[in-house]
Amino acid sequence: MHRLFRAIRPLPSIPACCRRGRVLRRVLAAALTVACLAALLPGTSRAASAAVELTLAVVTTPGSAQHVCAERFRQLLEERSQGAYRVVVHHSGTLGTETEILQQLQLGGVQLAIITLGVLDPFVPEVKVLDYPFLFRDAAEADRVLDGPVGRALLDTLERVGLKGLHFSENGFRHLTNNVRPVRTVDDVRGLKIRVLESTLHRELWRALDANPTPMGWPVYAELQQGAIDGQENPLWVIAEYRMPEVQRHLSLTGHVYSAHADLANLAWFNGLPQADRALVMQCMANAAAHQRAYNREKDAGYLRRLREAGMQVVDAPDLASFRARADALRQSPLFAEPRTRDMLARVLAAVGR
C-alpha cells in the first residue's frame, strides 16, 4: 500500500469540492474492496473462493465505444477465467468524470478503466503525442503504430503514475460540429467557442486554429442547447449517440485528431496477480479492443447517414491543407519541449514517415 501511494501523482487543478465530495467518498468506500481483493491474491486457492469482483469504469453510456470494449472484456475474462473473476461495469459517469475515474484508479478503488487518451496528458505528458493533429492517414496506420513497439512504449510510461496500460481501443477520428456557420476552411473556425477535452494539447490546438477552446467534461448537451458554447468535436458515433443534431446544425469532416482510448488497470493490483492471470487480463483486453475497433468502424457510414437524415448540414471535404498548415506550428510548441515528450513525438512521427 505504501508503494501505491508513492506512485500517485495528483492532478494539478482538481477542485477541492471533488476531493472532499463524491470522489473521496467513492475512494474510501472502494478501499474495502481493495482489502478484500488482497486476501484473494497469490497463495489462495481460487477453487475454494468466491469470484473476485472487479470494477471497470467508463464515463459513457451503453452502446458507446468505451462500453462496447468494456462489455467484451467482461465477457471474455469471466469466460476464460471459468468464473474466477466477476467484472462489474460502471457506465454513464456513475463514478465521476474521466479525470475523477483516473484518480480512483490510481488509488485502487477502481481496478480497471477505459479512458479517452487526451485526458491522461496531465498525468504523463508523453501521451499527448498521439493526439498530434492529422497524425494518422487512416485507421490501418493507427493500428500499426498503436499495436507496435511505439504504442507499447507509450503505455509503459503510465507506470510512473501507478497505472498499467493494457491496450488501446478507439474513440475514432474527431470531427467538428457547431451551431454558427459551415466550416470549410480554417478561417471559418475563427472565434468559435468550442468545447474541448480537459487536455493541454487539445486546448492549444484549437487556439492555434483561432477558436476559443473551452475545456470541460462530457456530456455537454445542455451547454450547447443553452448557447454557452458554439460547438464541440468528437467522432461520428459520439455526435450521433449523444443527439448532437438536436443542438448543432453544422458538421465538418475534419478528422483532425485520431482519438484513442487507453485501456487501463491499477498497477499495484495488476502486479499482485499471479503471472497467468496477468497474461489473461492482457489478452482479454487486447481481444476486446480489436472487437471494439472493428465494431466502431463498421458503424461509421451508418452514423453519418443518420446525422444527415437528422438534418445536419455536412461539409464532406473541408480544406484540410489550411488546417494542417496552421496546426503544424504545434511541433515547435512548448507542449513538446520536455525531453521525453519531444523524443516520443519524434518516434511517433518517424513511425508514420513524417
Side-chain angles (χ1 to χ4, degrees):
M1 183 61 73
H2 179 64
R3 290 196 304 274
L4 172 60
F5 277 94
R6 284 196 303 165
I8 295 169
R9 176 185 173 186
L11 275 175
S13 59
I14 300 303
C17 61
C18 291
R19 295 195 299 270
R20 292 195 300 266
R22 64 179 183 273
V23 173
L24 184 56
R25 289 196 298 271
R26 293 178 187 129
V27 170
L28 291 175
L32 294 173
T33 304
V34 177
C36 293
L37 287 172
L40 294 170
L41 290 176
T44 300
S45 171
R46 293 201 310 191
S49 305
V52 177
E53 184 173 295
L54 307 177
T55 295
L56 195 169
V58 300
V59 76
T60 51
T61 56
S64 69
Q66 289 162 308
H67 192 263
V68 167
C69 187
E71 275 296 308
R72 185 62 173 169
F73 173 80
R74 180 191 64 77
Q75 294 165 4
L76 292 173
L77 185 62
E78 290 180 352
E79 290 171 4
R80 293 177 183 177
S81 71
Q82 298 180 328
Y85 291 101
R86 176 174 176 264
V87 181
V88 179
V89 177
H90 292 264
H91 57 78
S92 304
T94 55
L95 295 185
T97 67
E98 289 194 305
T99 297
E100 291 167 350
I101 288 170
L102 281 170
Q103 289 184 308
Q104 294 174 72
L105 190 65
Q106 283 185 305
L107 289 168
V110 169
Q111 289 78 48
L112 298 148
I114 299 172
I115 299 291
T116 307
L117 191 70
V119 180
L120 278 158
D121 80 49
F123 287 72
V124 178
E126 293 100 299
V127 303
K128 69 168 65 77
V129 303
L130 288 185
D131 279 357
Y132 191 83
F134 305 103
L135 179 62
F136 299 124
R137 284 180 286 266
D138 53 33
E141 186 170 66
D143 289 351
R144 179 176 61 79
V145 173
L146 296 184
D147 293 345
V150 173
R152 176 41 55 190
L154 273 163
L155 289 172
D156 288 346
T157 64
L158 300 175
E159 296 192 10
R160 296 204 309 265
V161 294
L163 303 174
K164 174 65 180 179
L166 302 175
H167 211 74
F168 289 107
S169 49
E170 76 169 19
N171 203 4
F173 285 94
R174 303 180 79 91
H175 305 288
L176 176 65
T177 74
N178 83 95
N179 210 27
V180 177
R181 56 181 171 265
V183 172
R184 297 186 175 90
T185 77
V186 72
D187 290 334
D188 295 323
V189 173
R190 185 174 293 117
L192 293 178
K193 191 171 184 180
I194 304 296
R195 176 269 174 183
V196 299
L197 289 167
E198 295 171 300
S199 156
T200 51
L201 176 58
H202 281 252
R203 185 180 65 245
E204 293 308 310
L205 168 59
W206 288 98
R207 280 183 181 163
L209 299 178
D210 282 340
N212 179 10
T214 305
M216 60 176 64
W218 187 263
V220 293
Y221 184 97
E223 290 82 355
L224 290 165
Q225 186 178 48
Q226 295 160 9
I229 49 178
D230 298 320
Q232 60 85 55
E233 46 82 54
N234 257 306
L236 293 176
W237 76 263
V238 177
I239 297 168
E241 294 293 341
Y242 283 86
R243 304 177 2 247
M244 290 296 102
E246 297 177 6
V247 290
Q248 296 277 268
R249 185 177 304 119
H250 303 288
L251 165 64
S252 295
L253 299 181
T254 49
H256 48 276
V257 165
Y258 174 79
S259 183
H261 285 148
D263 311 322
L264 306 172
N266 170 271
L267 181 63
W269 168 78
F270 181 84
N271 285 344
L273 294 173
Q275 183 175 353
D277 288 16
R278 293 198 299 271
L280 178 63
V281 168
M282 292 282 286
Q283 188 60 53
C284 287
M285 190 61 84
N287 293 158
H291 167 83
Q292 182 270 325
R293 288 177 185 173
Y295 176 92
N296 212 39
R297 293 162 192 176
E298 288 168 5
K299 296 284 186 180
D300 255 6
Y303 279 129
L304 184 56
R305 183 172 59 253
R306 277 175 54 184
L307 294 170
R308 292 185 195 276
E309 291 171 352
M312 292 196 90
Q313 304 301 302
V314 181
V315 177
D316 292 280
D319 177 14
L320 296 185
S322 69
F323 281 84
R324 289 192 190 98
R326 201 167 292 173
D328 265 347
L330 287 178
R331 192 179 299 200
Q332 307 306 319
S333 164
L335 287 170
F336 301 108
E338 192 271 329
R340 287 183 297 201
T341 305
R342 185 178 62 243
D343 292 347
M344 188 62 74
L345 179 62
R347 287 185 66 178
V348 171
L349 291 173
V352 296
R354 290 171 61 182

